[in-house]
């Protein structure tokens, strides 16, 4: 009988474990920031809003878009925080986002940094750069790449690392840059673009799912060259003291608008709006300083060492077009690279 | 004539069921669970591969043969599988022979090493391979190697080390149970030791070797964690399925690829179970008559001992470098020691640890009880559809984790059974993935018990349920509880199926580990790995303690042997 009681107690314990975790109000969000960064932002929000508990999942931009597609019948999250807005645009086109124009920030953000129907808003901008390991460069006797064509140099074969274009905003933004810089600057693939992407694919040693990881891998010396947003290169490689050098393509580099959006049918939209409004405030955007991102709130602080628009040549990329046509672009990219 | 006898037996079975409503109820529930959580997802996978937007459209089946980048991963997976099963079986044979058939010292130590990969997340070895042999790895730098670990060589190395324990367990069993009197007979007739080995020992071991190779082949085919980390541009099918489904949300493509993954594993499973296993030449229950033949010649013993030591050393080195890495600040660049990575795991990952434990602690007892229940039904009871029940519950042995994962996404994303985003779906994946092993072990445990005891119970008037809970369960309890630990370990280290079903509310440690590796945060990944190992080792030690206290003096099973 003692055994029976023990078993009963055990079952109670298990049931108790299952039911534990009753919390305050819970807001579920998807975020494309790296997990350690996202933690900083989210903890800052929770500190100023103690009655809201944020549950978050970190996914790369393309992965958030895919997750929203998969959950369309039953959305699990209410807010999409961060990530290249080409994915937000694609999601908007697929009818997965909820419009929100009532936030105060709507007024001061210029039209190029927000969706006309209020389906997404810009948080920050970033520019694609090349990161190269200096020890590797010395070993092979090469110069750091200063143009898109330089990436095809034979010394870099198998030494380039970048994320999958379908998973990562960094990689898709890089692709958009390549397609604009090479051949004609009309959006989409032309013949020269196809040849270039095919050749670039041969240079890649490994694809992964997270764009900023390339900065770390190049810093570690696992690979020689990577294409990453400059704020990530500065934060994850240069500031850490790895032996790297950051360069930009002379023809012009690609750029992203980091976006935020409400998810249509999300279970906690009112809480999501609270977070949304907070994310556009100076206090929230000042947090970008330590990560070298360029905030779109004009009152927020700009970090020393961050790469600004005046520092680089920027390509005239039609981000809206690339967002609207993301699926088709990725299909073509898969055909050429054999990766999917 | 035969038809009549069959009909009579059938009627007898049905009558038996009807007379014991509890049994009928339980059989019914079990069938329902198996149908919903094993068969239904597979059906959905098949359906999605050929039925698209309301029409019969096997588009990807056709394209599979046309496009290199669709069929190449299958070929790559088969190549890796073949090499891994070969290398893994060779390594396992060396260990098994050394432990079972020689008198080398340190057997306990070697056996421990051979089982280590089982208690850790399999892709931890891939992480170690990068730390040691990556482009910037410790050994690479020290020896100035030009070896690119990303690709086929890395896959074969990591999967061989990860899965040879499976082959080892089979081979050790086989080699230690060969009746020595047969070999003694050969020696008495004048054959040399070498000749005896090749003409008597090895042929007797062949079915075991074949089983080992086939099972390692399946495990290699379905490996997801190692390839994600180290495949480089040598794409394998599991990762392709994952990217198609989760990366592009192209479920028809994912489902089609899943079918192509399922065909070889099912074939191998059927061959192993119904062909090779039937030809076992060793006696299972009999004790060897006399002390087993031990090889004591130095010229055989010493090379084996050296080989085993080198292999053991390599494995220890891998676990060691990961442990060291978990304490470094900036792996490869700043090797100063710090607790920061563990702090990170317990802060950002604290919720993951809690989630994973909660889910594992629910799935383990539920899965264990369900398994032993099914094992009991299959072994002791005669009822209509018994063979089908046994086959279905064993099916998940042959179904790769990614196929289960995509099947659960397809089956439970929409009504009538909508479970995505919940803990329940993860629990279900754990329960039904682990079930075949649980049932097989349950059958082995039940076969130790003389049915006469249970018959005595039922002839005294106890129904099926009473007999099961009051007589059977207590008798198998020690082995059952030990079996639970195995389920728990697999829950803590699983990745290939659950990566499809984690969500905002419920994250798992293995998925978090994989994310850190993807981010090249190798030190943080190493810390996650050792947190998992720590939890698993604690569980094993705890269970050993509990079993020995609860069953003091009652460890010997009763009944026939």
């Amino acid at each position: 009988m003692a055994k029976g009681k023990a078993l009963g107690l055990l079952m109670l314990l298990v049931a108790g474990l299952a039911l534990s975790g009753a919390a305050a109000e819970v807001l579920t969000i998807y975020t494309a920031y790296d997990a350690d960064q996202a933690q900083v932002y989210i903890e800052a929000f929770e500190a100023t809003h103690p009655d809201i508990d944020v549950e978050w999942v970190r996914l790369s931009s393309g992965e958030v878009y895919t997750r929203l597609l998969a959950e369309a019948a039953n959305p699990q999250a209410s807010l999409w925080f961060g990530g290249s807005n080409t994915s937000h645009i694609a999601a908007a086109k697929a009818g997965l986002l909820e419009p929100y124009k009532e936030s105060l920030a709507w007024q001061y953000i210029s039209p190029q940094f927000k969706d006309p129907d209020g389906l997404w808003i810009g948080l920050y901008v970033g520019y694609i750069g090349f990161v190269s390991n200096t020890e590797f460069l010395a070993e092979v006797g090469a110069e750091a790449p200063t143009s898109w064509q330089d990436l095809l140099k034979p010394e870099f074969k198998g030494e380039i690392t970048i994320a999958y274009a379908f998973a990562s905003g960094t990689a898709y933004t890089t692709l958009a840059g390549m397609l604009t810089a090479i051949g004609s600057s009309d959006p989409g693939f032309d013949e020269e673009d196809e040849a270039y992407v095919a050749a670039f694919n041969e240079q890649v040693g490994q694809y992964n799912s997270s764009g900023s990881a390339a900065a770390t891998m190049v810093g570690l010396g696992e690979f020689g060259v990577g294409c990453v947003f400059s704020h990530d290169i500065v934060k994850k490689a240069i500031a850490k003291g790895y032996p790297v050098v950051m360069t930009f393509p002379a023809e012009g580099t690609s750029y992203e608008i980091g976006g935020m959006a409400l998810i249509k049918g999300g279970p906690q939209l009112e809480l999501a709006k609270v977070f949304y409004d907070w994310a556009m405030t100076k206090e929230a955007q000042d947090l970008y300083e330590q990560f070298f991102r360029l905030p779109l709130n004009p009152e927020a602080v700009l970090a020393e060492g961050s790469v600004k628009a005046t520092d680089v040549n920027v390509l005239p990329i039609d981000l809206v077009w690339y967002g609207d046509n993301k699926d088709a672009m990725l299909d073509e990219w898969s055909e050429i690279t054999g990766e999917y | 004539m035969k038809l009549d006898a069959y009909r009579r037996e059938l009627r007898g079975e049905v009558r038996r069921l009807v007379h014991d409503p509890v049994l009928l109820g339980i059989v019914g529930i079990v069938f329902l669970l198996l149908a919903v959580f094993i068969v239904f997802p597979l059906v959905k996978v098949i359906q999605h591969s050929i039925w698209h937007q309301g029409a019969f459209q096997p588009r990807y089946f056709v394209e599979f043969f046309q496009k290199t980048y669709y069929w190449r991963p299958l070929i790559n997976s088969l190549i890796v599988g073949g090499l891994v099963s070969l290398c893994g079986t060779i390594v396992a044979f060396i260990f098994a022979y050394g432990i079972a058939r020689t008198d080398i010292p340190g057997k306990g130590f070697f056996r421990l090493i051979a089982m280590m990969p089982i208690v850790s997340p399999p892709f931890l070895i891939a992480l170690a391979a990068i730390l040691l042999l990556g482009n910037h790895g410790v050994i690479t730098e020290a020896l100035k190697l030009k070896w690119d670990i990303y690709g086929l060589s890395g896959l074969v190395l990591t999967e061989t080390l990860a899965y040879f324990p499976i082959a080892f367990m089979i081979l050790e069993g086989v080699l230690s149970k060969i009746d020595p009197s047969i070999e003694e007979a050969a020696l008495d007739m004048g054959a040399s030791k070498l000749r005896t080995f090749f003409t008597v020992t090895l042929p007797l071991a062949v079915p075991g070797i074949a089983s080992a190779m086939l099972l390692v082949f399946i495990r290699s085919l379905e490996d997801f964690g190692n390839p994600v980390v180290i495949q480089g541009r040598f794409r394998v099918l599991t990762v392709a399925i994952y990217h198609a489904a989760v990366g592009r949300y192209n479920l028809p493509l994912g489902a089609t690829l899943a079918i192509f993954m399922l065909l070889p594993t099912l074939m191998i499973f059927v061959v192993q179970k119904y062909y090779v296993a039937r030809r076992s030449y060793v006696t299972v229950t009999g004790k060897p008559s006399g002390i087993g033949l031990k090889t004591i010649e130095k010229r055989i013993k010493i090379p084996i001992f050296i080989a085993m030591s080198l292999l053991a050393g390599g494995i220890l080195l891998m676990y060691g470098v990961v442990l060291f890495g978990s304490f470094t600040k900036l792996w490869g660049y700043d090797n100063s020691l710090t607790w920061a990575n563990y702090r990170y795991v317990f802060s950002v990952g604290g919720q993951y640890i809690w989630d994973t434990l909660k889910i594992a602690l629910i799935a383990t007892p539920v899965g264990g009880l369900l398994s032993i229940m099914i094992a009991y039904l299959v072994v002791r009871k005669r009822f209509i559809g018994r063979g089908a029940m046994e086959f279905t519950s064993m099916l998940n042995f042959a179904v790769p984790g990614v196929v289960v994962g995509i099947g659960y996404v397809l089956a439970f994303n929409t009504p009538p059974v909508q479970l995505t985003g919940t803990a329940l779906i993860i629990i279900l994946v754990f329960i039904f993935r682990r079930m075949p092993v649980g049932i097989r072990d349950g059958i082995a445990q039940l076969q130790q018990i003389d049915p006469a005891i249970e018959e005595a119970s039922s002839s005294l008037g106890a129904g099926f349920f009473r007999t099961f809970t009051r007589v059977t369960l207590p008798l198998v309890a020690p082995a059952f509880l030990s079996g639970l630990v195995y389920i728990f370990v697999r829950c803590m280290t699983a990745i290939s199926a659950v990566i499809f079903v984690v969500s905002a509310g419920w994250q798992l440690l293995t998925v978090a580990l994989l994310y850190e590796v993807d981010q090249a945060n190798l030190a943080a990944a190493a810390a996650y790995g050792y947190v998992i190992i720590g939890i698993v080792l604690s569980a094993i030690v705890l269970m050993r303690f509990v079993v020995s206290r609860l069953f003091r003096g009652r460890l010997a099973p009763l009944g026939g042997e």
Side-chain angles (χ1 to χ4, degrees), chain B residues 369 372-373 376 463-474:
Chain B
L369 281 170
I372 193 103
M373 175 90 70
Y376 185 79
F464 153 73
F465 195 69
R466 206 135 190 245
T467 308
F468 181 69
T469 50
R470 299 285 206 92
V471 177
T472 319
L473 268 188

Side-chain angles (χ1 to χ4, degrees), chain A residues 1 3 11 14 17-18 20-21 28-30 33-36 39 55-58 60 62-63 66-67 69-71 73-74 76-77 135 139 158-159 164 166-167 200-213 216-217 219-223 236 240-243 326-328 330-331 334-340, chain B residues 63 67 69-71 73 130 134-137 146 149-150 227-233 235 237 239-249 253 257 330-333 344 347-348 351-352 354 357-358 361-362 365 369 409 413-414 418 420-422 470 499 502-507 515-516 518-522 550-551 554:
Chain A
M1 272 301 101
K3 286 234 184 79
M11 292 188 136
V14 170
L17 275 174
S20 74
T28 309
I29 71 175
Y30 291 142
Y33 294 107
D34 290 347
D36 51 339
Q39 198 190 14
E55 270 184 3
W56 52 279
V57 184
R58 194 270 157 198
S60 291
E63 294 175 333
T66 309
R67 186 66 75 97
L69 276 175
E71 293 178 353
N74 184 19
Q76 300 288 306
E135 288 168 7
E139 222 178 272
E159 288 290 340
Y164 293 105
F166 56 79
F200 179 77
N201 182 45
E202 296 299 310
Q203 303 286 86
V204 176
Q206 190 190 40
Y207 285 103
N208 73 326
S209 292
S210 168
S212 59
T216 309
M217 289 200 267
L220 286 174
E222 270 309 292
F223 293 93
K236 297 181 78 155
K240 284 217 160 107
Y242 284 127
K326 190 166 191 218
D327 288 329
L330 291 177
D331 286 341
S334 288
E335 271 297 325
I336 297 176
T337 57
E339 303 277 348
Y340 53 90
Chain B
E63 284 188 23
K67 300 206 170 153
Y69 59 82
Y70 283 158
W71 56 256
I130 294 179
N135 297 336
H136 195 65
K146 285 278 165 222
I149 193 83
Y150 293 97
V228 161
V229 173
I230 210 163
Q231 73 173 3
R233 302 304 301 276
R235 313 191 66 234
L237 200 50
V239 181
I241 293 174
Y242 175 72
H243 282 312
V246 175
R248 294 299 315 271
Y249 196 59
L253 173 61
L257 293 175
L330 226 55
W331 169 263
Y333 192 67
Y344 174 75
S347 64
V348 168
Q351 188 59 38
Y352 306 158
W354 200 218
L357 277 175
K358 270 193 239 182
L361 286 172
I362 296 177
L369 281 170
V409 166
N413 208 14
T414 49
Q418 186 163 47
T420 45
T422 60
R470 299 285 206 92
I499 197 167
V502 290
S503 62
W506 298 92
Q507 264 288 11
Y515 166 72
E516 298 297 337
D518 194 63
Q519 281 276 312
N521 290 343
L522 302 180
L550 275 183
F551 299 101
R554 287 230 281 129

Side-chain angles (χ1 to χ4, degrees), chain B residues 432-552:
Chain B
F432 289 94
R433 283 286 289 156
R434 297 304 119 219
M435 220 159 63
V437 179
I439 294 174
R440 190 192 57 190
D441 289 348
I443 292 177
Q445 291 158 24
L446 288 168
Q447 281 170 342
Q448 302 271 43
I449 298 175
D450 194 329
I453 301 178
E454 292 164 354
E455 280 164 26
S457 163
S458 34
S459 65
L460 284 170
F464 153 73
F465 195 69
R466 206 135 190 245
T467 308
F468 181 69
T469 50
R470 299 285 206 92
V471 177
T472 319
L473 268 188
L475 283 174
V476 296
F480 172 70
L481 287 176
S482 304
L484 281 189
V485 172
Y486 176 76
I487 299 179
F488 181 77
V489 169
R490 295 296 291 145
C491 288
M492 292 301 298
T493 59
I495 182 80
S496 60
V498 292
I499 197 167
F500 287 82
V501 295
V502 290
S503 62
W506 298 92
Q507 264 288 11
L508 295 175
L509 282 174
T510 43
V511 177
L513 204 173
L514 212 53
Y515 166 72
E516 298 297 337
V517 177
D518 194 63
Q519 281 276 312
N521 290 343
L522 302 180
Y528 267 114
Y530 268 90
V531 167
I532 295 177
I533 290 179
I535 294 176
V536 161
L537 283 178
S538 312
I540 292 177
V541 167
L542 188 66
M543 187 53 85
R544 284 254 164 97
F545 179 72
V546 163
V547 168
S548 69
R549 286 328 266 313
L550 275 183
F551 299 101
R552 247 182 306 213

Side-chain angles (χ1 to χ4, degrees), chain B residues 123-166:
Chain B
F123 45 80
L124 205 67
I125 298 186
L127 176 61
I130 294 179
L131 296 179
L132 288 171
L133 295 160
N135 297 336
H136 195 65
V138 172
I139 298 183
T140 314
E141 300 271 296
L143 299 180
K144 302 263 179 270
L145 290 177
K146 285 278 165 222
W147 179 14
D148 187 5
I149 193 83
Y150 293 97
L152 180 60
S153 57
L155 286 169
V156 173
L157 173 68
T158 53
E159 292 183 13
T160 299
L161 291 176
Y163 298 121
F164 88 87
I166 298 169

Side-chain angles (χ1 to χ4, degrees), chain B residues 50-90:
Chain B
I50 56 179
W51 202 266
H52 193 46
Q53 282 166 345
F56 179 73
Q57 217 191 80
R59 165 181 167 198
Y60 289 109
F61 274 105
V62 175
E63 284 188 23
F64 182 86
F65 296 102
Q66 293 169 341
K67 300 206 170 153
T68 314
Y69 59 82
Y70 283 158
W71 56 256
R72 182 94 237 166
L74 173 62
I75 305 292
N76 288 349
S77 289
L78 291 173
I79 293 175
V80 173
L83 288 171
V84 168
S85 78
L86 189 67
C87 298
T89 306
I90 292 176

Side-chain angles (χ1 to χ4, degrees), chain A residues 34-51:
Chain A
D34 290 347
D36 51 339
Q37 257 193 59
Q39 198 190 14
V40 169
Y41 305 141
I42 291 169
E43 280 180 359
F45 171 78
E46 286 178 329
T48 49
H49 298 79
D51 49 330

Side-chain angles (χ1 to χ4, degrees), chain B residues 78-325:
Chain B
L78 291 173
I79 293 175
V80 173
L83 288 171
V84 168
S85 78
L86 189 67
C87 298
T89 306
I90 292 176
V91 169
F93 193 87
I94 294 175
F95 268 81
Y97 193 85
I99 290 178
R101 309 276 293 187
T102 67
D103 59 349
I104 55 170
K107 285 191 187 175
F109 168 72
F110 284 118
R111 188 179 276 121
L112 198 70
I113 298 286
M115 303 298 263
M116 263 169 84
I118 290 192
V119 299
S120 58
F123 45 80
L124 205 67
I125 298 186
L127 176 61
I130 294 179
L131 296 179
L132 288 171
L133 295 160
N135 297 336
H136 195 65
V138 172
I139 298 183
T140 314
E141 300 271 296
L143 299 180
K144 302 263 179 270
L145 290 177
K146 285 278 165 222
W147 179 14
D148 187 5
I149 193 83
Y150 293 97
L152 180 60
S153 57
L155 286 169
V156 173
L157 173 68
T158 53
E159 292 183 13
T160 299
L161 291 176
Y163 298 121
F164 88 87
I166 298 169
F168 167 73
M169 288 196 286
I170 298 174
L171 290 175
E172 194 207 358
V174 162
L175 283 175
S176 59
K177 289 197 178 108
I178 291 180
D179 193 335
S181 54
I182 304 181
E183 293 168 319
E184 278 166 14
L187 290 169
D188 283 343
M189 285 197 272
S192 68
K193 283 254 174 97
L194 196 68
R195 189 155 182 218
T196 310
F197 178 76
F198 279 107
T199 56
V200 178
T201 317
L202 208 53
L204 283 177
V206 156
I209 294 177
S211 280
M213 286 187 75
L214 291 174
L215 289 175
V216 171
F217 194 102
I218 292 187
R219 294 301 293 270
S220 162
L221 273 182
E222 65 167 12
D223 191 4
F224 175 79
N226 284 316
V228 161
V229 173
I230 210 163
Q231 73 173 3
R233 302 304 301 276
F234 193 83
R235 313 191 66 234
V236 296
L237 200 50
T238 43
V239 181
I241 293 174
Y242 175 72
H243 282 312
V246 175
R248 294 299 315 271
Y249 196 59
N250 189 342
L251 294 174
L253 173 61
T256 308
L257 293 175
I259 301 287
F260 281 104
M261 164 126 267
L262 201 50
L263 290 174
T265 53
L266 269 178
M267 269 192 326
I268 294 172
F269 170 70
V270 165
V271 165
Q272 197 276 326
K273 185 165 161 61
Y274 293 105
Y275 189 74
V276 174
R278 295 264 164 88
R279 277 164 165 64
S280 173
Y281 301 142
V282 302
T283 50
V284 174
T285 55
K287 293 199 182 79
S289 50
I291 304 172
L293 260 187
K294 295 283 188 233
T295 307
I296 50 172
E297 288 91 338
K298 290 226 163 66
R299 62 190 168 92
I300 299 179
K301 249 181 24 174
I302 291 189
I304 289 186
F305 184 75
I306 293 179
M308 286 171 71
S309 304
L310 284 174
L311 286 164
I315 294 176
L316 279 176
L317 181 64
M318 290 194 140
Y319 280 93
V321 76
V322 175
L323 184 62
F324 175 70

